[in-house]
């Protein structure tokens, strides 16, 4: 009986894990739909990022380009993919 219960608990944990993954994926899709930056072509977003750079290069975490990596996952991915920002 204990073995059966342990097996049922393991199965339920897997179901919960799968549901949490589905929820996270759905939230990411919703965020992508609602994010205006996400609807822009990458080239336009990259140009906006470039225009935000300070006149003197800096790695200050409160200034571009470092601050872009802290906004959200999508911005971090985009900023890292633009070599000219760095």
């Amino acid at each position: 009986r204990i073995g059966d219960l342990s097996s049922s608990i393991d199965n339920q944990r897997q179901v919960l894990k799968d549901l949490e993954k589905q929820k996270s994926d759905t939230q990411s899709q919703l965020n992508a739909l609602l994010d205006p930056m996400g609807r822009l072509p990458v080239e336009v977003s990259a140009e906006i990022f470039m225009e935000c750079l300070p006149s003197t290069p800096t790695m200050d975490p409160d200034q571009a380009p470092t601050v872009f990596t802290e906004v959200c996952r999508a911005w971090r991915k985009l900023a890292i993919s633009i070599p000219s920002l760095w």
Side-chain angles (χ1 to χ4, degrees), residues 11-56:
N11 289 337
Q12 292 302 314
R13 283 186 179 139
Q14 185 60 45
V15 168
L16 179 60
K17 183 178 174 183
D18 293 344
L19 289 171
E20 286 174 338
K21 170 92 169 81
Q22 289 176 22
K23 178 184 172 191
S24 176
D25 291 347
T26 302
Q27 185 66 53
S28 294
Q29 292 170 353
L30 178 61
N31 289 347
L33 289 172
L34 298 175
D35 176 21
M37 283 288 287
R39 293 191 298 254
L40 290 176
V42 173
E43 297 80 11
V44 173
S45 299
E47 187 60 34
I48 291 169
F49 281 11
M50 294 298 296
E51 291 295 321
C52 294
L53 290 175
S55 56
T56 304

Side-chain angles (χ1 to χ4, degrees), residues 42 46 49-50 53 59 65 76-86:
V42 173
F49 281 11
M50 294 298 296
L53 290 175
M59 290 307 286
R76 179 173 40 256
K77 184 178 176 183
L78 177 60
I80 290 171
S81 74
I82 306 170
S84 53
L85 279 179
W86 309 98

Side-chain angles (χ1 to χ4, degrees), residues 52-67:
C52 294
L53 290 175
S55 56
T56 304
T58 179
M59 290 307 286
D60 182 345
D62 295 329
Q63 291 189 3
T66 309
V67 74

